[in-house]
Amino acid sequence: MKYKFLFIIATILLLSGCSITIGDPPNKNNHNKSSHSKNNNSNKSESAPKIDILSQDFSDHYMNENHVTGYKGMMKTMNKENIESKFGQEEDVRNFLGREGHVYGNFMVMYYLSEGRPVEQFSIVPTDHVTYKEFIDFHGEPAQDLRTGQGHSFVIYNNTPNNGYQIAVYTNGNDDNDNIQYIMQYPDDFEFVNSSENQDTVITRDNVFDAVEAFEGIDKVDTDETVWKEPEKHGDKFGFSYTSKDGELLGSYNVSEDGYVESFDEEGKKIRAGYINLNN
């Protein structure tokens, strides 16, 4: 009798053209909305702000305002997860002060020590080719031109003393027709050195970590999550490594007595090198 009753219900449903659906019925609008949402998530990088370095807005609100700690939603307190949640996946990887620079729209960031740590440095990168001449024609002459020294090629805008910031504009050469690579702000007491000439820096065991701070452009060597090994001296050079709290090797440095600093990754591959000056 039970099977006969079930057979009667099934027959009625078939004859009436009804269907049984588990859960919510399919909705064309919901499907489109889901697809649209998926597309939006995959194109999140489009939400990164568009920054025209030859615009009045950039002149007024970057060249003439203090944005050392953040600009247009990019903050030095953010890590990779924060940044990609806000701006989407990176679009490119370029040379940023001799390290990997991760590009999000018109931002390029350097992840110091590891991607889970806060960003220590970020810069503005132009979308289109902009020459040095075009830049200074719009923004005026810099306060200091360091394009002819060894190392990085850049100029400094710092025409207003004690305003809390200065701006470095990096090019890919020393010619006026060379393109702008990136632009970044530093605290106004940061000392730029681009050559080993006329240096009177002497590195000792007492200031070797100061040399790394100056080289990296950071306020202090982080000890909250990083263990810095005791420097060992060989000849005129101090060498030391740094690890995570769990003992994982993260990298190392060599610092010569004359202020020449070399940084290496966890595999011993040189990242970049250059002179610093600890004597103002």
Side-chain angles (χ1 to χ4, degrees):
M1 187 69 178
K2 177 180 179 182
Y3 295 109
K4 183 176 180 182
F5 178 74
L6 291 174
F7 176 77
I8 293 172
I9 293 176
T11 303
I12 293 172
L13 289 173
L14 287 173
L15 292 175
S16 62
C18 293
S19 62
I20 299 176
T21 303
I22 299 176
D24 295 332
N27 184 295
K28 186 176 181 181
N29 291 333
N30 286 343
H31 177 72
N32 290 339
K33 187 182 294 184
S34 175
S35 299
H36 181 66
S37 176
K38 184 178 181 181
N39 290 335
N40 280 345
N41 288 335
S42 64
N43 294 326
K44 251 187 176 178
S45 59
E46 293 182 3
S47 65
K50 304 301 180 184
I51 303 170
D52 181 359
I53 67 172
L54 295 182
S55 67
Q56 193 60 45
D57 178 75
F58 186 73
S59 175
D60 293 340
H61 302 297
Y62 187 85
M63 298 298 291
N64 290 287
E65 287 183 358
N66 187 336
H67 291 287
V68 171
T69 59
Y71 180 63
K72 288 188 178 291
M74 175 67 72
M75 303 297 295
K76 283 189 174 181
T77 54
M78 301 168 75
N79 60 22
K80 184 173 184 179
E81 182 180 357
N82 303 145
I83 289 171
E84 296 197 344
S85 175
K86 185 176 183 66
F87 298 125
Q89 297 294 310
E90 67 185 30
E91 301 165 22
D92 195 8
V93 178
R94 304 178 190 173
N95 181 353
F96 185 12
L97 296 175
R99 292 190 172 186
E100 286 188 349
H102 303 261
V103 178
Y104 304 89
N106 291 116
F107 286 127
M108 181 165 63
V109 303
M110 180 192 299
Y111 295 114
Y112 178 66
L113 299 183
S114 70
E115 295 174 349
R117 306 286 290 281
V119 174
E120 290 292 344
Q121 293 173 313
F122 73 91
S123 67
I124 311 300
V125 292
T127 302
D128 303 314
H129 295 299
V130 176
T131 67
Y132 173 74
K133 185 178 186 307
E134 289 173 327
F135 191 86
I136 64 171
D137 283 347
F138 192 94
H139 295 287
E141 293 286 343
Q144 190 177 7
D145 190 339
L146 296 173
R147 292 180 300 149
T148 58
Q150 299 173 356
H152 299 294
S153 184
F154 59 93
V155 298
I156 305 299
Y157 283 83
N158 190 21
N159 296 321
T160 306
N162 304 315
N163 62 354
Y165 72 100
Q166 55 185 319
I167 299 170
V169 179
Y170 293 80
T171 65
N172 58 358
N174 302 329
D175 190 86
D176 284 357
N177 290 320
D178 287 322
N179 290 325
I180 303 297
Q181 288 187 303
Y182 43 90
I183 304 164
M184 59 189 301
Q185 290 196 9
Y186 292 86
D188 60 359
D189 59 354
F190 184 83
E191 186 73 19
F192 291 95
V193 178
N194 203 35
S195 174
S196 62
E197 298 175 0
N198 301 319
Q199 295 267 348
D200 56 359
T201 291
V202 177
I203 300 300
T204 66
R205 189 177 298 275
D206 291 334
N207 66 2
V208 66
F209 290 109
D210 296 334
V212 171
E213 292 176 9
F215 180 73
E216 297 291 3
I218 59 178
D219 294 333
K220 66 181 181 66
V221 175
D222 183 13
T223 57
D224 292 338
E225 299 181 23
T226 307
V227 177
W228 297 86
K229 301 299 184 180
E230 190 66 24
E232 296 182 3
K233 189 176 183 184
H234 299 281
D236 67 344
K237 188 179 296 184
F238 292 94
F240 58 92
S241 62
Y242 57 95
T243 69
S244 68
K245 290 290 188 181
D246 297 329
E248 179 186 0
L249 179 64
L250 298 175
S252 61
Y253 290 95
N254 283 336
V255 185
S256 299
E257 288 180 340
D258 64 354
Y260 187 71
V261 182
E262 300 171 287
S263 64
F264 303 87
D265 65 16
E266 68 278 7
E267 297 178 351
K269 181 179 178 181
K270 184 182 287 189
I271 300 172
R272 68 184 182 101
Y275 285 89
I276 55 90
N277 187 355
L278 296 181
N279 299 314
N280 296 325

